[in-house]
Amino acid sequence: EAAGGADVDETIAQALATATPEQLAELAAWEEEWGAADEVVQEGVIDAIGGLIKRAKRLRQAAERFIETLKLVAQHRYRIAGDIATAYPEVHLFVPALVDFSHTARDTPSTTVQEQVAIHSLVSKLAVVGKIPNASHVRIHPMVGFCPYREVEASELATWDVDTGTGTFSRYVPYADPDIFTPEDRYKPDMKYVADRAKKLRAPIGPWHASRLDLRGVTRSLDIVRHAVELGGFAGVKLYPPAGFLPIGNVSRFGERVGGRLDAALRALYAYCVAEEVPILTHAARSNGFDDGFDDLASPSGWERVLADYPSLRICFGHFGHMHGVGDDLHNPSPNSWALRFLRLIETHDHVYADVGNSRYVYDQDYRAHFDTLLQVLLGKGPNPSPGQVKLRRRLMFGSDYWMNTMNPDHGKFVTMFSKRMETLVGNDAKSLFMGGNALRWLGITNDNDAPDTGNRNRQRLIAFYGTHERPDWLQG
Protein backbone atom coordinates (compact mmCIF):
# COMPACT_ATOMS: atom_id res chain seq x y z
CA GLU A 1 0.00 0.00 0.00
CA ALA A 2 2.82 2.41 0.86
CA ALA A 3 4.56 1.68 -2.42
CA GLY A 4 1.52 2.51 -4.54
CA GLY A 5 -0.88 0.41 -6.59
CA ALA A 6 1.31 -0.50 -9.59
CA ASP A 7 4.29 -1.52 -7.47
CA VAL A 8 2.04 -3.64 -5.25
CA ASP A 9 0.60 -5.42 -8.29
CA GLU A 10 4.08 -6.18 -9.63
CA THR A 11 5.21 -7.45 -6.23
CA ILE A 12 2.20 -9.77 -6.02
CA ALA A 13 2.82 -10.92 -9.60
CA GLN A 14 6.39 -11.85 -8.74
CA ALA A 15 5.17 -13.80 -5.73
CA LEU A 16 2.66 -15.64 -7.90
CA ALA A 17 5.35 -16.55 -10.39
CA THR A 18 7.46 -18.23 -7.69
CA ALA A 19 4.64 -19.78 -5.62
CA THR A 20 4.46 -23.53 -5.06
CA PRO A 21 1.45 -25.52 -6.34
CA GLU A 22 0.24 -25.89 -2.74
CA GLN A 23 0.40 -22.12 -2.20
CA LEU A 24 -1.43 -21.49 -5.47
CA ALA A 25 -4.15 -23.96 -4.51
CA GLU A 26 -4.65 -22.26 -1.14
CA LEU A 27 -4.72 -18.87 -2.84
CA ALA A 28 -7.27 -20.06 -5.40
CA ALA A 29 -9.59 -21.14 -2.58
CA TRP A 30 -9.21 -17.74 -0.95
CA GLU A 31 -9.87 -15.99 -4.26
CA GLU A 32 -13.10 -17.93 -4.73
CA GLU A 33 -14.31 -17.08 -1.22
CA TRP A 34 -13.57 -13.39 -1.61
CA GLY A 35 -14.93 -12.98 -5.10
CA ALA A 36 -11.64 -12.11 -6.73
CA ALA A 37 -11.67 -14.92 -9.23
CA ASP A 38 -13.98 -13.87 -12.04
CA GLU A 39 -11.29 -15.11 -14.38
CA VAL A 40 -9.42 -17.58 -12.17
CA VAL A 41 -6.64 -19.14 -14.20
CA GLN A 42 -5.46 -22.61 -13.27
CA GLU A 43 -1.91 -22.98 -12.04
CA GLY A 44 0.70 -23.38 -14.75
CA VAL A 45 -1.38 -21.60 -17.42
CA ILE A 46 -0.32 -18.04 -16.69
CA ASP A 47 3.28 -17.33 -17.51
CA ALA A 48 3.11 -13.84 -19.00
CA ILE A 49 3.82 -10.97 -16.61
CA GLY A 50 0.78 -9.12 -17.95
CA GLY A 51 -1.50 -11.98 -16.93
CA LEU A 52 0.12 -12.17 -13.53
CA ILE A 53 -0.39 -8.46 -12.94
CA LYS A 54 -4.03 -8.75 -14.00
CA ARG A 55 -4.53 -11.47 -11.43
CA ALA A 56 -2.55 -9.46 -8.88
CA LYS A 57 -4.96 -6.54 -9.26
CA ARG A 58 -7.92 -8.81 -8.53
CA LEU A 59 -6.11 -10.19 -5.49
CA ARG A 60 -5.34 -6.70 -4.23
CA GLN A 61 -8.99 -5.68 -4.59
CA ALA A 62 -10.07 -8.77 -2.68
CA ALA A 63 -7.49 -8.07 0.03
CA GLU A 64 -8.79 -4.51 0.36
CA ARG A 65 -12.32 -5.85 0.91
CA PHE A 66 -10.95 -8.32 3.44
CA ILE A 67 -9.29 -5.50 5.38
CA GLU A 68 -12.38 -3.29 5.22
CA THR A 69 -14.53 -6.14 6.55
CA LEU A 70 -12.14 -6.65 9.46
CA LYS A 71 -12.30 -2.93 10.20
CA LEU A 72 -16.09 -3.04 10.05
CA VAL A 73 -16.62 -5.93 12.46
CA ALA A 74 -14.12 -4.51 14.95
CA GLN A 75 -16.25 -1.40 15.52
CA HIS A 76 -18.84 -0.79 18.21
CA ARG A 77 -22.16 -2.32 17.23
CA TYR A 78 -23.99 0.99 16.97
CA ARG A 79 -21.36 2.16 14.49
CA ILE A 80 -21.80 -1.02 12.45
CA ALA A 81 -25.51 -0.17 12.43
CA GLY A 82 -24.61 3.27 11.09
CA ASP A 83 -22.45 1.71 8.38
CA ILE A 84 -25.18 -0.60 7.12
CA ALA A 85 -27.69 2.25 7.16
CA THR A 86 -25.25 4.33 5.10
CA ALA A 87 -24.62 1.44 2.68
CA TYR A 88 -28.37 0.92 2.14
CA PRO A 89 -29.95 4.36 2.70
CA GLU A 90 -33.29 3.34 1.18
CA VAL A 91 -33.91 0.75 3.92
CA HIS A 92 -35.90 1.76 7.02
CA LEU A 93 -36.08 -1.51 8.98
CA PHE A 94 -33.11 -3.81 9.58
CA VAL A 95 -33.49 -7.23 11.17
CA PRO A 96 -29.91 -8.40 11.87
CA ALA A 97 -29.51 -12.04 12.85
CA LEU A 98 -27.37 -12.96 15.85
CA VAL A 99 -25.95 -16.47 16.13
CA ASP A 100 -24.89 -18.50 19.16
CA PHE A 101 -21.82 -20.51 18.20
CA SER A 102 -20.24 -20.62 21.65
CA HIS A 103 -20.89 -24.35 22.11
CA THR A 104 -20.13 -25.48 18.57
CA ALA A 105 -17.38 -23.31 17.05
CA ARG A 106 -14.54 -24.53 19.30
CA ASP A 107 -13.86 -20.91 20.14
CA THR A 108 -14.63 -18.46 22.92
CA PRO A 109 -16.16 -15.08 22.05
CA SER A 110 -14.69 -11.99 23.67
CA THR A 111 -18.20 -11.02 24.80
CA THR A 112 -20.69 -13.56 26.09
CA VAL A 113 -23.92 -14.27 24.26
CA GLN A 114 -25.80 -12.65 27.14
CA GLU A 115 -23.71 -9.47 26.78
CA GLN A 116 -24.22 -9.45 23.02
CA VAL A 117 -28.00 -9.74 23.41
CA ALA A 118 -28.08 -6.93 25.97
CA ILE A 119 -25.95 -4.68 23.75
CA HIS A 120 -28.09 -5.31 20.67
CA SER A 121 -31.18 -4.46 22.69
CA LEU A 122 -29.56 -1.11 23.52
CA VAL A 123 -28.79 -0.56 19.81
CA SER A 124 -32.45 -1.22 19.10
CA LYS A 125 -33.38 1.43 21.67
CA LEU A 126 -30.89 3.82 20.11
CA ALA A 127 -32.68 3.34 16.79
CA VAL A 128 -36.11 3.89 18.39
CA VAL A 129 -35.03 7.41 19.41
CA GLY A 130 -33.43 8.13 16.02
CA LYS A 131 -29.81 8.09 17.18
CA ILE A 132 -28.17 5.60 14.82
CA PRO A 133 -25.23 7.57 13.34
CA ASN A 134 -26.27 9.38 10.15
CA ALA A 135 -29.54 7.43 9.98
CA SER A 136 -32.28 8.84 12.21
CA HIS A 137 -34.95 7.09 10.08
CA VAL A 138 -33.57 3.58 10.69
CA ARG A 139 -35.15 1.10 13.11
CA ILE A 140 -33.38 -2.12 14.17
CA HIS A 141 -35.02 -5.21 15.64
CA PRO A 142 -32.65 -8.20 15.71
CA MET A 143 -33.17 -11.95 15.71
CA VAL A 144 -31.72 -13.69 18.79
CA GLY A 145 -29.64 -16.82 18.31
CA PHE A 146 -30.86 -20.11 19.80
CA CYS A 147 -28.39 -22.95 20.43
CA PRO A 148 -29.87 -26.34 21.42
CA TYR A 149 -26.48 -27.39 22.82
CA ARG A 150 -26.57 -24.45 25.25
CA GLU A 151 -30.11 -25.39 26.26
CA VAL A 152 -29.03 -28.98 26.90
CA GLU A 153 -25.96 -28.09 28.93
CA ALA A 154 -27.66 -25.41 31.04
CA SER A 155 -30.89 -27.30 31.81
CA GLU A 156 -32.07 -30.57 33.33
CA LEU A 157 -31.32 -32.19 29.97
CA ALA A 158 -27.64 -32.21 30.93
CA THR A 159 -28.24 -34.90 33.56
CA TRP A 160 -30.57 -37.09 31.52
CA ASP A 161 -28.96 -40.47 30.87
CA VAL A 162 -30.11 -42.70 28.06
CA ASP A 163 -28.71 -45.71 29.93
CA THR A 164 -31.43 -45.39 32.57
CA GLY A 165 -33.93 -46.53 29.95
CA THR A 166 -36.45 -43.80 30.76
CA GLY A 167 -35.98 -41.61 27.70
CA THR A 168 -38.86 -39.30 28.65
CA PHE A 169 -36.86 -36.26 29.77
CA SER A 170 -39.39 -36.07 32.60
CA ARG A 171 -37.00 -33.91 34.63
CA TYR A 172 -36.76 -31.26 31.90
CA VAL A 173 -38.88 -28.20 32.73
CA PRO A 174 -38.46 -25.85 29.75
CA TYR A 175 -40.77 -22.97 30.73
CA ALA A 176 -41.72 -23.03 34.40
CA ASP A 177 -39.42 -22.33 37.32
CA PRO A 178 -37.47 -25.62 37.71
CA ASP A 179 -37.51 -25.16 41.48
CA ILE A 180 -41.29 -24.67 41.59
CA PHE A 181 -43.24 -26.73 39.08
CA THR A 182 -45.97 -29.31 38.72
CA PRO A 183 -46.02 -32.52 36.66
CA GLU A 184 -47.87 -30.56 33.96
CA ASP A 185 -44.75 -28.43 33.45
CA ARG A 186 -42.49 -31.37 32.66
CA TYR A 187 -41.36 -31.87 29.11
CA LYS A 188 -43.17 -34.12 26.67
CA PRO A 189 -42.75 -34.04 22.88
CA ASP A 190 -46.19 -32.58 22.23
CA MET A 191 -46.21 -30.08 25.10
CA LYS A 192 -47.47 -26.55 24.51
CA TYR A 193 -46.19 -23.27 25.88
CA VAL A 194 -48.63 -21.60 28.29
CA ALA A 195 -47.59 -18.08 29.21
CA ASP A 196 -49.42 -18.10 32.55
CA ARG A 197 -47.38 -21.11 33.68
CA ALA A 198 -44.01 -19.78 32.50
CA LYS A 199 -41.44 -18.39 34.90
CA LYS A 200 -41.45 -14.61 35.27
CA LEU A 201 -38.64 -12.79 33.50
CA ARG A 202 -36.40 -10.28 35.21
CA ALA A 203 -37.50 -6.92 33.85
CA PRO A 204 -34.94 -4.17 33.09
CA ILE A 205 -34.49 -1.77 36.01
CA GLY A 206 -34.67 1.99 35.70
CA PRO A 207 -36.00 4.43 33.08
CA TRP A 208 -36.45 3.13 29.54
CA HIS A 209 -33.53 4.98 27.96
CA ALA A 210 -31.01 3.88 30.60
CA SER A 211 -32.15 0.34 31.42
CA ARG A 212 -30.76 -2.78 29.82
CA LEU A 213 -31.68 -6.45 29.82
CA ASP A 214 -30.64 -8.11 33.07
CA LEU A 215 -29.27 -11.50 32.00
CA ARG A 216 -27.13 -12.17 35.06
CA GLY A 217 -27.40 -15.86 35.82
CA VAL A 218 -29.55 -16.50 32.75
CA THR A 219 -27.84 -19.49 31.13
CA ARG A 220 -30.49 -21.46 29.26
CA SER A 221 -30.81 -20.64 25.57
CA LEU A 222 -34.60 -20.65 25.81
CA ASP A 223 -34.50 -18.15 28.69
CA ILE A 224 -32.15 -15.89 26.73
CA VAL A 225 -34.58 -16.04 23.80
CA ARG A 226 -37.54 -15.14 26.00
CA HIS A 227 -35.78 -12.13 27.53
CA ALA A 228 -34.71 -10.86 24.10
CA VAL A 229 -38.10 -11.33 22.44
CA GLU A 230 -40.39 -10.35 25.30
CA LEU A 231 -38.38 -7.46 26.76
CA GLY A 232 -35.50 -6.55 24.46
CA GLY A 233 -37.04 -5.39 21.19
CA PHE A 234 -35.96 -8.50 19.28
CA ALA A 235 -38.16 -9.53 16.35
CA GLY A 236 -37.51 -13.27 16.33
CA VAL A 237 -35.07 -16.18 16.58
CA LYS A 238 -32.13 -17.29 14.41
CA LEU A 239 -31.22 -20.97 13.99
CA TYR A 240 -28.06 -22.28 12.35
CA PRO A 241 -28.29 -26.05 11.75
CA PRO A 242 -24.85 -26.38 10.02
CA ALA A 243 -23.33 -25.57 13.41
CA GLY A 244 -24.12 -29.16 14.37
CA PHE A 245 -27.80 -30.11 14.60
CA LEU A 246 -30.81 -31.02 12.50
CA PRO A 247 -34.01 -28.97 12.83
CA ILE A 248 -35.54 -32.18 14.24
CA GLY A 249 -34.77 -35.89 14.07
CA ASN A 250 -31.32 -35.63 15.63
CA VAL A 251 -31.50 -39.15 17.06
CA SER A 252 -31.05 -40.54 13.55
CA ARG A 253 -27.86 -38.51 13.08
CA PHE A 254 -26.30 -38.22 16.55
CA GLY A 255 -27.78 -41.12 18.50
CA GLU A 256 -30.22 -41.20 21.41
CA ARG A 257 -27.90 -39.74 24.03
CA VAL A 258 -27.06 -36.54 22.08
CA GLY A 259 -29.80 -36.39 19.47
CA GLY A 260 -32.66 -37.00 21.89
CA ARG A 261 -31.58 -34.08 24.04
CA LEU A 262 -31.18 -31.79 21.03
CA ASP A 263 -34.67 -32.67 19.81
CA ALA A 264 -36.18 -31.94 23.23
CA ALA A 265 -34.53 -28.51 23.33
CA LEU A 266 -35.67 -27.69 19.78
CA ARG A 267 -39.23 -28.86 20.38
CA ALA A 268 -39.40 -26.62 23.43
CA LEU A 269 -38.36 -23.69 21.23
CA TYR A 270 -40.86 -24.48 18.48
CA ALA A 271 -43.76 -24.80 20.92
CA TYR A 272 -42.85 -21.42 22.40
CA CYS A 273 -42.55 -19.78 18.96
CA VAL A 274 -45.92 -21.16 17.84
CA ALA A 275 -47.73 -19.96 20.96
CA GLU A 276 -46.11 -16.51 20.98
CA GLU A 277 -46.01 -16.03 17.17
CA VAL A 278 -42.23 -15.64 17.18
CA PRO A 279 -40.69 -15.78 13.66
CA ILE A 280 -37.69 -18.04 13.05
CA LEU A 281 -34.97 -17.31 10.49
CA THR A 282 -32.89 -20.36 9.65
CA HIS A 283 -29.78 -20.85 7.56
CA ALA A 284 -31.09 -22.87 4.62
CA ALA A 285 -28.19 -23.22 2.22
CA ARG A 286 -25.75 -26.10 1.77
CA SER A 287 -22.81 -24.18 3.19
CA ASN A 288 -20.77 -23.21 6.26
CA GLY A 289 -20.88 -26.61 7.96
CA PHE A 290 -18.84 -26.65 11.18
CA ASP A 291 -17.69 -30.22 10.52
CA ASP A 292 -17.59 -32.77 7.71
CA GLY A 293 -21.09 -33.41 6.40
CA PHE A 294 -22.69 -30.63 8.45
CA ASP A 295 -23.62 -28.62 5.33
CA ASP A 296 -26.47 -31.07 4.76
CA LEU A 297 -27.98 -30.43 8.20
CA ALA A 298 -29.72 -27.37 6.73
CA SER A 299 -31.57 -29.40 4.10
CA PRO A 300 -35.37 -29.26 3.61
CA SER A 301 -35.77 -32.77 5.09
CA GLY A 302 -35.56 -31.61 8.70
CA TRP A 303 -37.98 -28.74 8.12
CA GLU A 304 -40.47 -31.03 6.43
CA ARG A 305 -40.61 -32.94 9.73
CA VAL A 306 -40.75 -29.77 11.86
CA LEU A 307 -43.66 -28.30 9.90
CA ALA A 308 -45.52 -31.61 10.02
CA ASP A 309 -45.59 -31.24 13.81
CA TYR A 310 -45.75 -27.41 14.01
CA PRO A 311 -47.68 -26.37 10.86
CA SER A 312 -48.38 -22.79 12.03
CA LEU A 313 -44.70 -21.98 12.72
CA ARG A 314 -43.51 -18.69 11.22
CA ILE A 315 -40.27 -19.47 9.44
CA CYS A 316 -38.03 -17.99 6.78
CA PHE A 317 -35.60 -20.17 4.86
CA GLY A 318 -32.52 -17.97 4.57
CA HIS A 319 -30.78 -18.11 1.15
CA PHE A 320 -33.67 -20.20 -0.30
CA GLY A 321 -31.26 -23.10 -0.74
CA HIS A 322 -29.32 -20.98 -3.26
CA MET A 323 -29.32 -23.09 -6.44
CA HIS A 324 -28.24 -26.40 -4.92
CA GLY A 325 -29.44 -29.30 -7.05
CA VAL A 326 -31.48 -27.15 -9.45
CA GLY A 327 -29.82 -28.74 -12.50
CA ASP A 328 -28.75 -27.44 -15.87
CA ASP A 329 -32.24 -26.96 -17.33
CA LEU A 330 -33.43 -23.96 -15.34
CA HIS A 331 -36.76 -23.92 -17.17
CA ASN A 332 -37.41 -27.32 -15.60
CA PRO A 333 -35.61 -27.19 -12.24
CA SER A 334 -35.20 -30.48 -10.45
CA PRO A 335 -38.05 -31.19 -8.00
CA ASN A 336 -35.39 -32.59 -5.66
CA SER A 337 -33.47 -29.30 -5.52
CA TRP A 338 -33.46 -27.48 -2.22
CA ALA A 339 -35.25 -24.44 -3.67
CA LEU A 340 -38.20 -26.46 -4.99
CA ARG A 341 -38.46 -28.55 -1.83
CA PHE A 342 -38.58 -25.35 0.23
CA LEU A 343 -41.11 -24.04 -2.28
CA ARG A 344 -43.42 -26.99 -1.58
CA LEU A 345 -43.35 -26.10 2.13
CA ILE A 346 -44.22 -22.50 1.24
CA GLU A 347 -47.15 -23.68 -0.88
CA THR A 348 -48.62 -25.87 1.88
CA HIS A 349 -48.14 -23.68 4.98
CA ASP A 350 -49.54 -20.28 5.88
CA HIS A 351 -46.49 -18.65 7.44
CA VAL A 352 -43.48 -20.06 5.58
CA TYR A 353 -41.20 -17.69 3.64
CA ALA A 354 -37.75 -17.59 2.05
CA ASP A 355 -35.11 -14.94 1.40
CA VAL A 356 -32.24 -14.56 -1.06
CA GLY A 357 -29.56 -13.30 1.35
CA ASN A 358 -25.84 -13.30 0.51
CA SER A 359 -25.99 -14.43 -3.09
CA ARG A 360 -23.49 -13.85 -5.89
CA TYR A 361 -26.23 -12.02 -7.79
CA VAL A 362 -24.59 -8.59 -7.79
CA TYR A 363 -21.09 -9.39 -8.97
CA ASP A 364 -21.40 -12.67 -10.93
CA GLN A 365 -23.07 -12.13 -14.30
CA ASP A 366 -23.43 -15.84 -15.10
CA TYR A 367 -25.03 -16.51 -11.72
CA ARG A 368 -27.37 -13.53 -12.19
CA ALA A 369 -28.51 -14.80 -15.58
CA HIS A 370 -29.17 -18.28 -14.16
CA PHE A 371 -30.96 -16.91 -11.09
CA ASP A 372 -33.13 -14.58 -13.22
CA THR A 373 -34.22 -17.57 -15.27
CA LEU A 374 -35.09 -19.53 -12.14
CA LEU A 375 -37.00 -16.56 -10.69
CA GLN A 376 -39.01 -16.21 -13.89
CA VAL A 377 -39.95 -19.89 -13.73
CA LEU A 378 -40.92 -19.69 -10.05
CA LEU A 379 -42.48 -16.20 -9.92
CA GLY A 380 -43.69 -15.80 -13.49
CA LYS A 381 -42.86 -12.83 -15.67
CA GLY A 382 -44.91 -9.67 -15.81
CA PRO A 383 -48.46 -9.05 -14.59
CA ASN A 384 -50.10 -12.45 -15.21
CA PRO A 385 -48.64 -15.07 -12.84
CA SER A 386 -50.30 -18.40 -12.12
CA PRO A 387 -51.98 -18.91 -8.70
CA GLY A 388 -48.89 -20.75 -7.44
CA GLN A 389 -46.64 -17.96 -8.66
CA VAL A 390 -48.85 -15.38 -6.95
CA LYS A 391 -48.33 -17.16 -3.63
CA LEU A 392 -44.55 -17.29 -4.01
CA ARG A 393 -44.49 -13.60 -4.97
CA ARG A 394 -45.97 -13.00 -1.53
CA ARG A 395 -43.49 -15.28 0.28
CA LEU A 396 -40.05 -14.70 -1.30
CA MET A 397 -38.19 -11.67 0.02
CA PHE A 398 -34.99 -9.72 -0.07
CA GLY A 399 -32.17 -10.41 2.36
CA SER A 400 -28.71 -8.87 2.41
CA ASP A 401 -26.74 -10.95 4.95
CA TYR A 402 -24.72 -7.89 5.83
CA TRP A 403 -21.90 -7.93 6.95
CA MET A 404 -21.13 -11.20 5.15
CA ASN A 405 -21.77 -9.68 1.73
CA THR A 406 -19.19 -6.94 2.35
CA MET A 407 -16.71 -9.61 1.29
CA ASN A 408 -18.17 -9.47 -2.23
CA PRO A 409 -17.42 -6.94 -4.97
CA ASP A 410 -19.97 -4.12 -5.34
CA HIS A 411 -21.83 -5.10 -2.17
CA GLY A 412 -23.15 -1.55 -1.90
CA LYS A 413 -25.33 -2.21 -4.98
CA PHE A 414 -27.09 -5.16 -3.32
CA VAL A 415 -30.36 -3.38 -2.56
CA THR A 416 -30.62 -1.24 -5.68
CA MET A 417 -29.75 -4.03 -8.11
CA PHE A 418 -32.21 -6.50 -6.60
CA SER A 419 -34.90 -3.83 -6.56
CA LYS A 420 -34.39 -2.86 -10.21
CA ARG A 421 -34.09 -6.43 -11.43
CA MET A 422 -37.22 -7.56 -9.56
CA GLU A 423 -39.20 -4.66 -11.01
CA THR A 424 -38.06 -5.71 -14.48
CA LEU A 425 -38.88 -9.37 -13.88
CA VAL A 426 -42.20 -9.21 -12.03
CA GLY A 427 -43.40 -5.59 -12.00
CA ASN A 428 -43.52 -2.83 -9.41
CA ASP A 429 -46.19 -4.29 -7.12
CA ALA A 430 -44.47 -7.66 -6.73
CA LYS A 431 -41.13 -5.88 -6.37
CA SER A 432 -42.50 -3.85 -3.46
CA LEU A 433 -43.60 -7.03 -1.73
CA PHE A 434 -40.21 -8.62 -2.33
CA MET A 435 -38.32 -5.59 -1.00
CA GLY A 436 -40.33 -5.17 2.21
CA GLY A 437 -44.01 -6.07 2.24
CA ASN A 438 -43.43 -9.81 2.56
CA ALA A 439 -40.99 -9.33 5.43
CA LEU A 440 -43.54 -7.30 7.39
CA ARG A 441 -46.10 -10.09 6.92
CA TRP A 442 -43.60 -12.78 8.01
CA LEU A 443 -42.77 -10.77 11.13
CA GLY A 444 -46.47 -10.50 11.97
CA ILE A 445 -46.59 -6.72 11.53
CA THR A 446 -49.19 -7.00 8.76
CA ASN A 447 -51.78 -9.66 7.90
CA ASP A 448 -52.66 -11.49 4.68
CA ASN A 449 -54.39 -8.33 3.42
CA ASP A 450 -51.24 -6.30 4.13
CA ALA A 451 -53.14 -4.35 6.78
CA PRO A 452 -51.93 -4.01 10.40
CA ASP A 453 -52.18 -7.38 12.14
CA THR A 454 -53.32 -5.84 15.42
CA GLY A 455 -53.83 -9.17 17.16
CA ASN A 456 -50.39 -10.56 16.40
CA ARG A 457 -48.30 -11.18 19.51
CA ASN A 458 -45.03 -10.20 17.86
CA ARG A 459 -46.45 -6.87 16.69
CA GLN A 460 -47.86 -6.20 20.15
CA ARG A 461 -44.45 -6.85 21.77
CA LEU A 462 -42.70 -4.43 19.44
CA ILE A 463 -45.31 -1.75 20.12
CA ALA A 464 -44.82 -2.27 23.86
CA PHE A 465 -41.06 -1.90 23.38
CA TYR A 466 -41.55 1.55 21.82
CA GLY A 467 -43.64 2.64 24.78
CA THR A 468 -44.36 6.36 24.48
CA HIS A 469 -41.84 6.88 21.67
CA GLU A 470 -43.11 7.54 18.18
CA ARG A 471 -43.59 4.41 16.14
CA PRO A 472 -42.32 4.25 12.54
CA ASP A 473 -44.77 4.21 9.65
CA TRP A 474 -44.56 0.44 9.19
CA LEU A 475 -45.67 -0.11 12.82
CA GLN A 476 -48.52 2.43 12.79
CA GLY A 477 -52.22 1.66 12.50
Side-chain angles (χ1 to χ4, degrees), residues 72-369:
L72 171 70
V73 300
Q75 296 185 83
H76 291 296
R77 287 162 180 79
Y78 78 96
R79 292 199 176 278
I80 297 176
D83 282 350
I84 185 175
T86 302
Y88 305 140
E90 57 271 78
V91 178
H92 287 234
L93 169 62
F94 290 95
V95 187
L98 280 68
V99 288
D100 183 355
F101 293 157
S102 303
H103 290 243
T104 49
R106 305 183 185 97
D107 195 7
T108 302
S110 57
T111 53
T112 67
V113 166
Q114 291 89 337
E115 290 170 330
Q116 293 174 37
V117 169
I119 290 168
H120 275 273
S121 178
L122 290 175
V123 172
S124 189
K125 285 186 176 183
L126 201 66
V128 165
V129 296
K131 296 297 184 181
I132 296 299
N134 304 313
S136 60
H137 66 288
V138 162
R139 299 297 177 264
I140 298 174
H141 294 288
M143 315 293 285
V144 57
F146 177 85
C147 174
Y149 286 97
R150 177 185 295 278
E151 180 68 12
V152 168
E153 294 178 18
S155 72
E156 300 85 5
L157 290 173
T159 59
W160 178 79
D161 190 349
V162 67
D163 295 332
T164 63
T166 56
T168 62
F169 304 110
S170 60
R171 297 186 61 224
Y172 179 36
V173 181
Y175 312 124
D177 187 332
D179 296 323
I180 308 172
F181 67 94
T182 69
E184 186 179 352
D185 298 315
R186 291 175 173 172
Y187 171 82
K188 52 185 180 294
D190 60 347
M191 80 180 302
K192 293 178 171 56
Y193 174 81
V194 179
D196 290 343
R197 302 188 63 83
K199 74 182 79 172
K200 302 302 180 184
L201 302 182
R202 189 184 301 139
I205 299 173
W208 184 91
H209 69 279
S211 64
R212 59 183 290 169
L213 289 178
D214 186 354
L215 296 174
R216 293 172 299 172
V218 178
T219 56
R220 297 187 184 207
S221 196
L222 192 54
D223 288 346
I224 294 173
V225 164
R226 286 192 59 209
H227 278 83
V229 167
E230 296 177 33
L231 300 173
F234 281 65
V237 173
K238 175 64 182 285
L239 284 177
Y240 210 91
F245 59 91
L246 286 161
I248 209 70
N250 284 280
V251 173
S252 63
R253 181 65 179 261
F254 300 106
E256 186 75 32
R257 181 187 295 274
V258 174
R261 300 181 193 189
L262 292 174
D263 282 351
L266 287 161
R267 285 189 179 277
L269 172 72
Y270 300 146
Y272 169 74
C273 289
V274 166
E276 290 297 312
E277 297 182 284
V278 180
I280 294 176
L281 171 63
T282 182
H283 181 94
R286 194 174 184 271
S287 60
N288 296 348
F290 279 35
D291 212 333
D292 291 341
F294 279 15
D295 286 358
D296 290 326
L297 297 177
S299 82
S301 301
W303 292 109
E304 290 163 0
R305 295 185 61 179
V306 170
L307 287 165
D309 291 344
Y310 304 93
S312 61
L313 198 65
R314 289 181 177 267
I315 189 161
C316 172
F317 297 123
H319 315 297
F320 197 31
H322 284 325
M323 298 183 71
H324 178 64
V326 169
D328 296 329
D329 184 1
L330 296 177
H331 292 283
N332 296 285
S334 169
N336 294 320
S337 64
W338 282 25
L340 264 67
R341 290 175 65 189
F342 285 132
L343 174 59
R344 288 196 289 273
L345 292 174
I346 289 172
E347 291 174 339
T348 53
H349 294 83
D350 292 337
H351 304 300
V352 176
Y353 293 73
D355 74 47
V356 296
N358 195 22
S359 85
R360 294 152 48 197
Y361 193 84
V362 172
Y363 67 92
D364 188 328
Q365 293 183 5
D366 289 341
Y367 182 91
R368 182 161 60 249

